[in-house]
Amino acid sequence: MKLNKILYLIFFATLLVLIGCSSSGGDDAPSPPPTGGTDDEPEVPDPAAATLVFPEDNTECNTGVVDPNNEAVSTVTFEWNVAQNANRYTVTVTNLNTGSSTFSNAETNSADITIDRSTPYSWFVTSRADGTTATADSDTFRFYNEGPGIENYAPFPAEAVSPFRGENLSAATTVTLEWSGGDIDNDITGYEVFFGTDAATLASIGSVAETSIADVGVTASTIYFWQVITTDSVGNTSTSELFQFRVN
């Protein structure tokens, strides 16, 4: 009788083991993935545009440090406000007499850049951020870098307003050319406009005191070029870039 009880217990224990193995076999469905997380990188927000501080727009810059070995250049500290979501910047400075640009990278909101004296410039800042290719450009400022002994400054080169550079116009027989001008001394006396289809042989179409000239004849399917020479009260002049537009 005692032996039967022992055999019964052994049989019952074996049965429990078999049942347990069957319930945890390899055919069970896989466990669901854990919730509440992801391996994806967080999205990087686009940088915002910076606000320019110095040199100010349409002013004279007289704080540059003159190079003792080359008095034709000076080092100017360009400054702007920190842009949201940006951690680095590119400063673009353009010589308005030659149209050539220089670029300087910065990780703070200022950059020391050496430029020619007695020369007009424009500048803007591009905001950048690590982890994204998105960028944002600030407004563009123009200034005149001070030179030795200058009592009257040449005007800033005119900038095209309409048609803007590279614009495609609907078929028309006449257009109005419009531009903007500026001068630290505020003594601009007039503008002479040159116009034509051959960039190398533009012809004068008149001198005006205003910043536009109307009823300029054009024809369809033609590319036109135009340029403006600005003159001030003491005879200083500046020549704009070569502007271009197309009449479809």
Side-chain angles (χ1 to χ4, degrees):
M1 187 72 171
K2 187 174 182 180
L3 178 61
N4 288 339
K5 288 183 178 180
I6 293 173
L7 292 173
Y8 177 79
L9 290 174
I10 293 173
F11 173 79
F12 185 75
T14 302
L15 182 62
L16 288 177
V17 170
L18 291 174
I19 292 173
C21 291
S22 174
S23 65
S24 60
D27 293 335
D28 289 351
S31 301
T35 59
T38 177
D39 292 333
D40 294 338
E41 291 293 331
E43 183 178 351
V44 177
D46 292 347
T51 301
L52 304 186
V53 175
F54 184 86
E56 298 179 22
D57 195 22
N58 289 323
T59 61
E60 175 195 13
C61 174
N62 55 16
T63 64
V65 178
V66 178
D67 184 344
N69 298 315
N70 182 7
E71 294 188 356
V73 300
S74 62
T75 299
V76 174
T77 300
F78 291 77
E79 302 174 18
W80 57 94
N81 289 329
V82 172
Q84 186 176 11
N85 303 324
N87 57 15
R88 51 195 175 89
Y89 308 89
T90 300
V91 187
T92 302
V93 182
T94 300
N95 182 320
L96 295 179
N97 286 340
T98 65
S100 61
S101 297
T102 60
F103 308 92
S104 179
N105 295 319
E107 295 184 354
T108 64
N109 59 321
S110 67
D112 293 336
I113 302 174
T114 300
I115 56 178
D116 293 339
R117 302 174 70 193
S118 304
T119 304
Y121 284 91
S122 67
W123 72 290
F124 69 91
V125 171
T126 301
S127 301
R128 305 182 186 276
D130 294 334
T132 177
T133 58
T135 61
D137 289 341
S138 69
D139 291 335
T140 298
F141 280 5
R142 300 192 298 176
F143 68 96
Y144 199 98
N145 194 29
E146 182 186 44
I150 295 179
E151 296 181 359
N152 187 283
Y153 293 89
F156 288 113
E159 294 187 314
V161 173
S162 179
F164 58 80
R165 285 176 291 185
E167 183 174 3
N168 289 319
L169 302 179
S170 301
T173 56
T174 63
V175 297
T176 296
L177 303 179
E178 183 180 356
W179 59 93
S180 63
D183 190 302
I184 292 175
D185 306 302
N186 292 317
D187 63 345
I188 293 175
T189 57
Y191 307 89
E192 186 173 9
V193 182
F194 294 81
F195 184 79
T197 58
D198 183 354
T201 58
L202 300 182
S204 175
I205 58 173
S207 296
V208 295
E210 301 81 17
T211 55
S212 66
I213 187 166
D215 299 325
V216 178
V218 294
T219 58
S221 302
T222 306
I223 296 175
Y224 289 95
F225 302 90
W226 61 294
Q227 200 164 38
V228 179
I229 294 179
T230 307
T231 304
D232 69 12
S233 62
V234 298
N236 293 321
T237 63
S238 65
T239 303
S240 74
E241 297 179 48
L242 186 65
F243 308 129
Q244 173 188 328
F245 67 92
R246 177 184 173 87
V247 179
N248 294 327

